[in-house]
Amino acid sequence: MSGNGPLEAAAVPSGVVTFLLTDVAGSTRMWETAPEIMAGSLERHDRILQDAVKTNAGVFLKSKGEGDSTFSVFWRATDAVAAARDAQTALRDEPWPSSTPILVRMAVHTGEAVERDGDYFGRTVNRAARLRAVAEAGQVLISQATAEVVADLLPPGSELRGMGVQHLRDLARPEVVFSLIAEEWPQPVAPIAGTSEGVVAAGEPLPLPRRLAFSVRVGFAGRSEERERLVRQFHTVSAGARRVAMLAGEPGIGKTR
């Protein structure tokens, strides 16, 4: 289906296809606290995603997604990955209101489609949805099936970073997961070469503490609400505002992680 009603079956890809599923992180809270502003932000979000999908030869099936999520399908895996990158870049560049900073989690997965009357069902769709559910706000996760197709055909300035094996809810087979990285997206600050611990050269960025300077390829169990709040604060600070976030809890519950 599309936002305008059922599509003709011939208008949508069939056989082995690639799905791009997206979801707005923390949307429930934003709808509760700023519903009027959120309505406008979501309209812009939909337009950005639809433009990225159309530009990269995909079919945007908004009404297939629930709530603030979207569902798109592509004949080629490379087009789906390019659309995800274009959409994520445009979303990051958009000047969102501080009350509704739109951060989107995305997942791309390739497999055999079960298609009927312009709609999709089955295990490939289920796996794509479960992959989206474990993505962080602002992250694009790529399944192993898709990664094997696109690894040598990524858009310029892009790379795939291995995230290890993820056990996806209700699915018997785990998934080897990759994260799409683009050079223009903000990356964690790395330690500065040639500086001793506690000493930073004038004009250089302050390095992270050693335990926080490297990405640990292990997923979180829960904590999605807390992580979404911290990501929103990070983007607010990146835009020039000042915020303080305090994290408290018993020893050993994962505060450093």
Side-chain angles (χ1 to χ4, degrees):
M1 295 182 177
S2 71
N4 298 320
L7 290 174
E8 294 296 331
V12 296
S14 59
V16 176
V17 302
T18 299
F19 295 109
L20 166 61
L21 273 62
T22 79
D23 184 46
V24 178
S27 61
T28 300
R29 183 179 297 104
M30 289 187 285
W31 275 115
E32 289 294 316
T33 58
E36 295 84 4
I37 299 175
M38 183 59 176
S41 293
L42 190 61
E43 183 178 353
R44 287 153 61 190
H45 154 274
D46 290 352
R47 186 168 60 251
I48 287 171
L49 279 164
Q50 192 165 10
D51 288 347
V53 170
K54 182 178 179 180
T55 298
N56 289 282
V59 179
F60 183 80
L61 303 171
K62 176 64 175 72
S63 65
K64 174 67 177 180
E66 69 283 358
D68 307 313
S69 66
T70 73
F71 184 107
S72 301
V73 60
F74 298 78
W75 281 269
R76 301 197 311 172
T78 50
D79 290 336
V81 172
R85 175 181 166 137
D86 289 351
Q88 199 66 267
T89 299
L91 289 163
R92 289 166 180 262
D93 291 343
E94 185 73 12
W96 302 108
S98 59
S99 59
T100 57
I102 300 296
L103 303 173
V104 178
R105 57 173 69 90
M106 301 184 182
V108 183
H109 177 52
T110 302
E112 185 80 19
V114 179
E115 182 266 329
R116 183 173 67 249
D117 297 328
D119 206 353
Y120 295 90
F121 310 88
R123 302 175 71 180
T124 300
V125 173
N126 295 341
R127 182 164 291 268
R130 290 295 187 247
L131 184 61
R132 178 186 59 187
V134 300
E136 302 281 354
Q139 187 177 43
V140 180
L141 291 186
I142 308 291
S143 71
Q144 184 175 25
T146 303
E148 290 176 351
V149 175
V150 306
D152 297 324
L153 301 167
L154 292 171
S158 304
E159 64 176 283
L160 295 180
R161 182 171 299 169
M163 303 297 290
V165 176
Q166 289 280 350
H167 292 273
L168 305 179
R169 185 165 63 89
D170 297 331
L171 301 187
R173 179 173 58 83
E175 183 65 54
V176 179
V177 178
F178 299 82
S179 180
L180 179 66
I181 305 298
E183 61 184 10
E184 69 268 25
W185 299 349
Q187 300 298 317
V189 178
I192 301 172
T195 61
S196 59
E197 188 171 356
V199 178
V200 180
E204 295 286 355
L206 185 68
L208 289 170
R210 183 169 298 174
R211 287 189 65 191
L212 302 181
F214 302 96
S215 175
V216 179
R217 296 177 182 177
V218 178
F220 282 91
R223 307 297 185 194
S224 58
E225 179 179 347
E226 292 86 349
R227 287 183 284 128
E228 289 172 2
R229 292 173 63 185
L230 288 171
V231 169
R232 288 200 302 274
Q233 294 285 15
F234 173 78
H235 282 271
T236 300
V237 171
S238 298
R242 295 184 180 183
R243 294 289 187 272
V244 174
M246 301 185 69
L247 187 64
E250 296 297 320
I253 67 169
K255 296 188 297 296
T256 300
R257 173 71 179 93

